[in-house]
Structures are given as C-alpha cells and as structure tokens.
C-alpha cells in the first residue's frame, strides 16, 4: 500500500527498511526513502551498479558515516566503484597533506574498501571497465561521470553525491525520479553548431569550450547539440572529447545529460530527444572563444605548472601525449608537469611505454586523486596551464591560482618553452 506521500515500497524494500536485512541496510534505506519522498517519487528502482564519490575526505561527517556502516556490517550489494580519494597510495610523496587530513583521508578510503567497493580511485570509471549498458539504472556520483554515463553510454542516473551514493550501493535502490524517468531526458534546449568552422571543432580545446558554453546556457537542463561531426571515435567526436565536454558542462552549469545528435545513443535524430517547447540557439566561433576565455584567468604569459588529466587521463590521451613528446626538448625545469590518471590506465600506459615518455620529459604521474582537490602543487605556483575545462573552472577558487586553457599540444609547447604558448589562428 502507498504511504501518505504516495511512495510505494515492495515487500523486500519494506523488509530492508524495517531492519530485517540488518541495521546497515535499514540505515541506508531510511536515507533513500527520505530522498524519494522529498523528490515526490512514487517508487524505488533497483540499480545495476554505483559509483561512490564520498571516499574523498571533506570532513569528519563523511568519515563517521562510512565507518558506522562498516561497524554495522554493511556490504554493497551491487558493483560499486570508488572515485578519487585524498591520497595517491601508489606515489605517497606527491600529496603534501596535513597529517590529520592524510590519516582521516586514508581511513575514509579504507572504510569504503571494507564495504566491498572496488578501489579504482578514479573519477572516470568508464575508463576502468565500469560501463553500464544503455537503459540500465545506476547510481553514480561525481559530476563528470554522471554526465558521461547518462549521455555517452545511455545508462540512467540522477545526480547523486556523498552519503546517498554509498547508501544506494548498500541498498541497491534509488528513487525512481529525475533522470531515471524517460520524460525528464528530453532536450529543453538545442545548440546548433553548424556555423562553427570544422577546423575549430577538430581542435581538442574546442570541446571544453563547448562544455563551458553548454553549462552557461543550459544550467541543469537537458540539451541537444546539432551540427557537430557525427562520427564517434572516427576522427571526429571521440569519447575523450565528449568526456571533456561533459565534465566542463557539469562544472560550469550542473549539466547531467546532453545529447549529441547522430552520436550519442539516445539521439539518432533530433526528433528522438526533442522535448516540447524546446528553444534553439545558434552557436558561433565567437561564442566558443568567449567560453574559452572564461576558463583562462591569467593576464600574462608567465607559467609555473601544467596539469593534465581532469577527468583522469585515458589511454588514448596518453598515446597522444607520447606522440607529442616523441621529438623535441624536455619540459622546462621552471615548469612542473603533472598527469593524473587511474591505476588501470597507468598500467596500460606503462606497458606501452607512454608513461616512460612522460617521465623522461620531466613530467610526474599522479594516481588515486587529482591536483585540484589535494595539495600536490608546490608553494609559490601562481599560473597553471591545463587542457581540462573542469580543472580550469575549479582550480582558481580551490587553489588560489590563475589558469590558462589550451590544447594538449599547446600545453606541451608551453611546458617546453617555460611560458604560455597558444595558437590563436583558428579562433579568429
């Protein structure tokens, strides 16, 4: 029978909520049911997997919550991968954390592993073998991962964050609301890129700029993008470019789902995803240049560091970086270069010689975490170049530094020159 709020629970869900499947499951179900009632959900929906973001230490509340679940005997009942933590466990000397933060951060990471989660320690689980099938319901946290799994893979998740992410993994349920519902996945906005020169769209740095513009215009609404190259992984719209687009859009505006018509799985045509009353906005190269400049706060060409890999570097990005490094000088000793990636991708990059190419040029590789959420950059760094729109969006506030957004090739050229080098010809 439905409750007074209209929420209907199955017999199994009532059993879980009543504590018949253990106090940890009941604790998680209370949280999920509370969110369902707040969202006006009529029922819960079983999930196939989860990706938990609460393993990054932000304070004692998350640590106490997770360790309480462990003490109650909790175990995740669906596959649950883990986002970045506060430490690089493979390269412990790279993170310069306060001892208390380091200790609590390690406890929080250990507690999530004790719950049965997979310790991939990556913000890009889709690059470490966690790729739900189209139409499946999942509970993913981490804004870029939410955008990717919804948009590029076509699975269904709403926006989940700390506490409810691991609760969903333990209970195997989430509210049937938000982007789990088909009607909420229709586009309310169309961005038309047909007037943007193809040469500009073939530059990697255009894609975080597209994401910044999408975030600005869409906010949290679903948008459809038309006029982009319709050849996924064939020299046009690669997964790396969609990753860059989605990560920046999620940061700049809270976008959790976008459709690229003719590319992403739910949008074979515009009509397939167009919602009632959707408006169309034509996009120009000038719009993209303005969006790119929003992600660059530096006023000079001075450069102290380069940060690549937010979201985590993929194997194909490592291959592209190794290609850029195949000839030419090493990085300037005045510029620190970091590449953040997952353990799984690093293992492949090591096997193929890509990681050695980075180290031989003077770069350092970071795993398990990211340079904008943990103290990795040395004191005195003021200006950092990056190919990541997400990094450029958050780092000024998180780290108190200035940023410059550039392509991978521009980042390499700048790291070698010891100053910012950007090719403006495509931008007019």
């Amino acid at each position: 029978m439905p409750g007074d709020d209209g929420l209907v629970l199955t017999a199994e869900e009532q059993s879980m909520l009543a504590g018949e499947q253990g106090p940890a499951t009941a604790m998680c179900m209370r949280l999920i049911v509370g969110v369902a009632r707040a969202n006006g959900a009529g029922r819960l929906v079983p999930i196939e997997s989860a990706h938990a973001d609460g393993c990054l230490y932000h304070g004692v509340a998350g640590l106490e919550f997770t360790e309480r679940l462990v003490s109650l005997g909790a175990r995740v009942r669906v596959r649950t991968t883990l986002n970045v933590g506060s430490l690089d466990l493979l390269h412990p000397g790279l993170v310069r954390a306060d001892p208390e933060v380091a200790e609590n951060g390690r406890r929080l990471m250990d507690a999530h592993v004790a719950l049965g989660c997979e310790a991939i320690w990556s913000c890009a689980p889709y690059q470490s073998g966690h790729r739900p099938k189209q139409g499946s319901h999942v509970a993913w946290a981490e804004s870029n991962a939410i955008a990717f799994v919804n948009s590029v893979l076509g699975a269904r998740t709403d926006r989940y964050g700390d506490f409810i992410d691991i609760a969903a993994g333990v209970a195997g349920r989430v509210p049937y609301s938000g982007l789990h519902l088909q009607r909420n996945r229709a586009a309310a906005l169309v961005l038309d890129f047909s007037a943007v020169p193809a040469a500009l769209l073939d530059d990697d740095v255009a894609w975080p700029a597209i994401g910044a513009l999408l975030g600005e215009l869409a906010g949290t609404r679903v948008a459809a993008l038309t006029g982009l190259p319709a050849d996924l992984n064939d020299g046009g719209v690669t997964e790396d470019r969609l990753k860059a687009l989605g990560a920046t859009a999620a940061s700049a505006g809270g976008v959790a789902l976008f459709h690229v018509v003719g590319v992403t799985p739910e949008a074979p045509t515009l009509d397939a995803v167009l919602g009632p009353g959707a408006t169309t906005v034509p996009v120009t190269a000038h719009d993209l240049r303005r969006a790119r400049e929003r992600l660059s706060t530096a006023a000079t060409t001075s450069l102290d560091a380069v940060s690549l890999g937010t979201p985590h570097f993929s194997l194909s990005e490592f291959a592209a970086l190794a290609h850029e490094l195949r000839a030419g000088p090493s990085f300037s000793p005045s510029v620190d270069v970091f590449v953040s990636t997952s353990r799984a991708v690093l293992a492949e990059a090591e096997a193929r010689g890509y990681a050695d190419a980075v180290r031989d040029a003077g770069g350092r590789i970071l795993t398990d975490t990211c340079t904008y959420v943990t103290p990795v950059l040395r004191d005195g760094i003021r200006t950092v170049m990056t190919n990541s729109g997400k990094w450029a969006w958050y780092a000024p506030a998180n780290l108190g530094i200035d940023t410059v957004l550039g392509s991978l090739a521009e980042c390499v050229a700048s790291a070698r020159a010891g100053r910012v080098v950007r090719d403006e010809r495509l931008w007019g």
Side-chain angles (χ1 to χ4, degrees):
M1 293 291 292
D4 294 339
D5 50 17
L7 178 65
V8 178
L9 300 180
T10 67
E12 182 181 7
E13 290 161 355
Q14 292 176 31
S15 170
M16 295 163 67
L17 184 61
E20 295 172 5
Q21 298 188 31
T25 298
M27 177 178 167
C28 292
M29 280 294 290
R30 287 195 297 273
L31 179 57
I32 291 166
V33 166
V35 172
R37 287 174 172 153
N39 289 350
R43 64 181 178 92
L44 307 182
V45 62
I47 57 171
E48 295 188 10
S49 72
H51 180 67
D53 187 35
C55 46
L56 178 65
Y57 182 74
H58 293 295
V60 296
L63 176 60
E64 291 177 349
F65 177 82
T66 310
E67 289 188 335
R68 176 62 172 165
L69 288 178
V70 174
S71 72
L72 292 175
R75 298 284 293 182
V76 293
R77 67 177 65 202
V78 297
R79 181 184 188 184
T80 303
T81 50
L82 292 173
N83 206 55
V84 297
S86 298
L87 301 170
D88 181 344
L89 301 180
L90 295 185
H91 315 99
L94 289 181
V95 176
R96 303 176 298 107
D98 171 270
E100 181 180 355
V101 172
E103 179 186 355
N104 287 347
R106 181 59 189 263
R107 282 172 56 190
L108 183 60
M109 295 169 80
D110 289 345
H112 278 84
V113 174
L115 294 174
C117 302
E118 294 181 29
I120 67 166
W121 308 125
S122 179
C123 55
Y126 44 86
Q127 294 173 178
S128 296
H130 193 177
R131 296 174 67 91
K133 65 180 182 295
Q134 181 178 350
S136 61
H137 292 280
V138 298
W140 278 29
E142 161 57 37
S143 62
N144 101 82
I146 292 168
F148 192 96
V149 77
N150 271 322
S151 310
V152 183
L153 300 184
R156 300 187 173 201
T157 185
D158 209 19
R159 300 171 182 84
Y160 298 111
D162 294 3
F163 303 102
I164 195 169
D165 52 3
I166 194 63
V170 171
R173 304 285 194 283
V174 291
Y176 189 53
S177 59
L179 293 173
H180 292 282
L181 299 173
Q182 179 63 36
R183 66 174 180 268
N184 293 333
R185 299 177 72 85
L189 176 69
V190 179
L191 301 187
D192 180 7
F193 291 84
S194 58
V196 178
L200 179 54
L201 294 177
D202 196 40
D203 191 321
D204 283 347
V205 77
W207 296 83
I210 293 171
L213 182 64
L214 172 60
E216 176 188 357
L217 296 178
T220 59
R221 294 181 294 169
V222 178
L225 284 59
T226 63
L228 295 174
D231 48 354
L232 180 61
N233 290 329
D234 190 25
V237 188
T238 64
E239 279 202 0
D240 287 328
R241 289 175 171 180
L242 292 175
K243 175 180 73 171
L245 188 168
T248 313
S251 304
V255 172
L257 169 62
F258 60 90
H259 303 289
V260 179
V261 175
V263 175
T264 54
E266 295 179 63
T269 65
L270 179 58
D271 287 343
V273 294
L274 196 61
T279 57
T280 299
V281 177
V283 176
T284 66
H286 175 74
D287 294 325
L288 291 186
R289 182 184 182 107
R290 182 177 56 83
R292 181 189 69 151
E293 295 311 313
R294 289 179 65 209
L295 300 171
S296 298
T297 63
T300 72
T301 60
S302 299
L303 185 65
D304 301 307
V306 170
S307 182
L308 307 172
T310 305
H312 275 168
F313 233 40
S314 68
L315 187 62
S316 57
E317 287 174 314
F318 261 114
L321 178 57
H323 181 76
E324 290 288 339
L325 298 174
R326 72 192 187 286
S330 298
F331 302 136
S332 168
S334 66
V335 178
D336 295 343
V337 177
F338 291 94
V339 180
S340 302
T341 192
S342 68
R343 296 181 177 200
V345 170
L346 177 57
E348 287 290 329
E350 297 277 16
R352 302 187 187 203
Y354 303 154
D356 282 341
V358 174
R359 297 188 188 103
D360 290 346
R364 282 172 280 186
I365 298 174
L366 183 75
T367 58
D368 301 346
T369 190
C370 185
T371 54
Y372 83 94
V373 296
T374 48
V376 173
L377 302 182
R378 60 182 166 81
D379 294 338
I381 284 184
R382 293 292 177 264
T383 303
V384 182
M385 193 170 191
T386 182
N387 68 337
S388 163
K390 178 176 182 177
W391 203 97
W393 183 266
Y394 285 120
N398 283 11
L399 305 177
I401 53 90
D402 284 313
T403 57
V404 180
L405 181 71
S407 66
L408 179 63
E410 289 170 335
C411 287
V412 170
S414 300
R416 285 169 165 167
R419 58 181 175 80
V420 173
V421 176
R422 292 203 296 186
D423 184 351
E424 301 292 338
R425 289 172 295 179
L426 286 175
W427 296 90

